[in-house]
Amino acid sequence: MLIAFGLISAVVQFVGQVFGLKFAQPGLLTAASLGLCIVWGLVRAYPRSSIEHQFTHPNMTVRIKIQDLLEEDADLVVGFSDTFDTDIEDDAVINRSSLQGQLLTRIYGGDRSRLDDDLKKALAAVTPVSVESRSAKPKGKLKRYPIGTVAVIGPPNQRIYCVAYSRMSNDLRAHSSMNDLWVSLDRLWEAIAARGQLSRVAIPIMGAELARIYALDRENLLKVSILSFMARSRLQAVSRELVVIIRPQDAEKVDLLEMRAFLAAL
């Protein structure tokens, strides 16, 4: 804003000196100039759809964007329940509008068998903690994996990290907690550090919707993800760039100015 005011002042003085103009109401001109500078400064300062902050220790960038996660050119993180359910029929087990449902319909073209095969291969080395009976859980998968289990699927040019951060009850309601989320995030970063080759990674705001973490709003859940990433990055390199995605329909629920200040404070 001060730069803009300095430029306007220089222009006014130049015009006055060169053309010999005299302004009848200098006070009004000054007030108008200040008003224009304030408006210009606010427009320049207010983030529109993306903010970022670069860190030097370690060397990495954290970016927050308003966008569709599945359109991001990066390795992707998708949250799952401990049963890694994928059935979107009638929205009974998995809601087709959820990120898991969108993963199936848009990335896998609705081919649930192929998605289930990829998940099965990725989970082959993980021992389930329990197996439900069909009578206890009438729909969906029966094997339960530890919270924080990460199944890495997808083609080599775009890895998809499927992390189990919620529990699917037998009545098909997913629920999680802050402790489950924190443990899952830590194991997610560990998996990305091992498999990701420091590639760009995009993650949604986890826990805000069907996982039912009611203790924090979206903005604070976003901060938790970033804090977890920063904490892990102090121990080992995870990614050169983390992109936290805000869904367009949730844009008004996150203050980007506050998030810019939060990143700067880190």
Side-chain angles (χ1 to χ4, degrees), residues 69-208:
L69 177 79
L70 298 184
E71 293 180 357
E72 188 67 21
D73 183 17
D75 291 345
L76 305 178
V77 174
V78 178
F80 274 77
S81 69
D82 60 340
T83 52
F84 286 91
D85 275 305
T86 57
D87 186 0
I88 61 173
E89 185 177 357
D90 300 325
D91 294 337
V93 182
I94 299 298
N95 193 302
R96 68 181 60 247
S97 67
S98 68
L99 190 52
Q100 299 101 307
Q102 292 296 301
L103 172 68
L104 171 60
T105 57
R106 292 169 56 186
I107 302 299
Y108 278 80
D111 189 344
R112 184 158 64 95
S113 295
R114 184 163 66 91
L115 175 56
D116 284 340
D117 285 345
D118 284 356
L119 288 170
K120 184 178 180 180
K121 292 175 185 176
L123 294 169
V126 183
T127 302
V129 293
S130 64
V131 180
E132 297 289 346
S133 65
R134 181 53 69 193
S135 59
K137 189 171 184 285
K139 292 186 177 182
K141 298 179 182 179
L142 302 177
K143 293 181 180 179
R144 295 190 178 277
Y145 293 89
I147 289 294
T149 297
V150 180
V152 186
I153 63 174
N157 61 332
Q158 186 182 47
R159 299 173 187 85
I160 301 173
Y161 298 92
C162 304
V163 54
Y165 76 102
S166 65
R167 293 177 169 84
M168 179 70 78
S169 64
N170 287 346
D171 62 357
L172 306 179
R173 288 171 57 87
H175 57 91
S176 188
S177 67
M178 281 307 305
N179 184 65
D180 289 341
L181 178 61
W182 188 262
V183 168
S184 300
L185 286 169
D186 188 59
R187 293 177 182 171
L188 170 66
W189 309 135
E190 183 179 8
I192 293 174
R195 300 283 299 275
Q197 300 177 343
L198 301 182
S199 300
R200 193 167 186 258
V201 177
I203 182 174
I205 300 178
M206 297 175 63

Side-chain angles (χ1 to χ4, degrees), residues 4 6 8 14 16 31 45 62 83 134 173 185 199 206 209 226 233-234:
I8 292 175
F14 176 80
V62 175
T83 52
R134 181 53 69 193
R173 288 171 57 87
L185 286 169
S199 300
M206 297 175 63
E209 292 292 334
I226 293 173
S233 295
R234 303 295 184 190

